[in-house]
Amino acid sequence: MHRPLDPDRSDAPLADILRDVRAVVFDTDGVITDSAKVHAAAWKVAFDDFLRAHPPDDPDRRGPFDVRDDYLRHVDGKSRLDGAAAFLAARGIEAAPETVRAVAQDKERLFTERLRERGVDAYPGTVRLVKALRAAGVPRAAASASRHAGELLSRAGVLDLFDALVDGGEAARLGLAGKPEPDLFLEAVSRLGVSADRAAVVEDALAGVEAGRRGGFALVVGVDRAVGADTGARLLRHGADIVVRDLGELCAGGEPK
């Protein structure tokens, strides 16, 4: 059982596994902010509407979008276009580029509406870890395939805890490849002035931990918030060195696994 976490502590020492790390890059959705579920809900409406209007030829592929399994397998950590294309392909749908764009735009509209209506919160354990890193003088960057990352972090009140931010808009401007390619994380760590082999990356997506491994990061931390029977094992198979339920576990006294 984990001890209660105090998100306002800035002096929490770091767990041993982070002692030699010189910088940390954090994914945003599902790692810093509790926004992954908002993304998943928006994808579900967009995909389910599309499947009802254009059912796959194979009856076994006509089921609704699963906000846990389908989200993790096909869209989590990816750009909207890549995620839409991956899910439709998994359902046996050979979608034209304009169709993929239409589904992605529908998801964007739904997500923006929900974000403006409800906002998002930062995870207390993540805030505790980020403050501990700041107190230890370890540079921190936020990275995300989403163009909303800056707004998410600002609305959650944590944007000023990070020294750099690389979001989907920056990725598009720089022509960075999407996950599982490591471009996004490598750009983020370069802005901190540290090489990947001296840095850690923190991710909750399968494509994200794979990107961290491909990028040669010294430590890849998987965050398993799905509480599924095999989610942690899948993160490990895709490249995570360790998996935690909450990032407060990476402060001394936590229980990283």
Side-chain angles (χ1 to χ4, degrees):
M1 180 180 296
H2 301 306
R3 298 180 304 172
L5 301 176
D6 179 359
D8 292 323
R9 284 185 60 195
S10 60
D11 60 345
L14 300 172
D16 288 344
I17 198 168
L18 290 176
R19 292 292 167 81
D20 294 327
V21 167
R22 295 293 175 261
V24 182
V25 178
F26 292 82
D27 176 52
T28 301
D29 297 308
V31 172
I32 303 172
T33 59
D34 188 14
S35 47
K37 64 183 181 183
V38 184
H39 281 289
W43 276 122
K44 179 170 178 59
V45 175
F47 282 136
D48 286 356
D49 284 350
F50 181 86
L51 291 172
R52 280 191 293 269
H54 310 280
D57 293 334
D58 183 350
D60 292 337
R61 295 184 174 184
R62 294 177 185 172
F65 178 82
D66 186 287
V67 294
R68 192 182 77 175
D69 191 61
D70 284 328
Y71 181 75
L72 188 65
R73 286 178 182 272
H74 305 301
V75 302
D76 192 16
K78 299 178 182 178
S79 70
R80 289 194 307 275
L81 290 176
D82 289 346
F87 175 75
L88 295 178
R91 292 305 179 93
I93 298 171
E94 296 183 8
E98 56 269 24
T99 300
V100 173
R101 282 195 297 272
V103 175
Q105 288 169 357
D106 193 27
K107 181 267 175 182
E108 169 72 356
R109 175 184 59 79
L110 292 161
F111 176 80
T112 301
E113 289 175 356
R114 292 174 187 233
L115 175 62
R116 302 287 159 75
E117 289 171 1
R118 308 173 192 177
V120 293
D121 295 319
Y123 288 103
T126 301
V127 175
R128 181 185 176 198
L129 174 61
V130 173
K131 287 185 174 182
L133 290 165
R134 182 176 65 177
V138 179
R140 304 144 320 277
S144 175
S146 172
R147 295 173 183 264
H148 294 284
E151 181 181 1
L152 286 167
L153 295 173
S154 180
R155 289 171 70 92
V158 296
L159 181 60
D160 63 347
L161 294 179
F162 296 91
D163 300 301
L165 167 64
V166 182
D167 65 5
E170 277 289 274
R173 182 180 69 83
L174 297 172
L176 302 180
K179 304 170 192 176
E181 296 304 318
D183 299 29
L184 189 71
F185 293 147
L186 293 175
E187 175 64 24
V189 78
S190 73
R191 296 187 182 191
L192 299 179
V194 178
S195 61
D197 62 358
R198 303 297 303 280
V201 65
V202 185
E203 255 284 3
D204 68 323
L206 300 180
V209 293
E210 185 174 341
R213 178 58 54 227
R214 291 187 185 187
F217 281 80
L219 177 67
V220 180
V221 178
V223 183
D224 178 11
R225 301 199 192 275
V227 197
D230 67 343
T231 310
R234 289 161 71 182
L235 288 166
L236 290 168
R237 287 197 301 270
H238 278 75
D241 294 300
I242 62 168
V243 173
V244 297
R245 297 284 192 191
D246 185 282
L247 287 174
E249 296 171 24
L250 296 182
C251 294
E255 305 168 357
K257 297 175 178 59

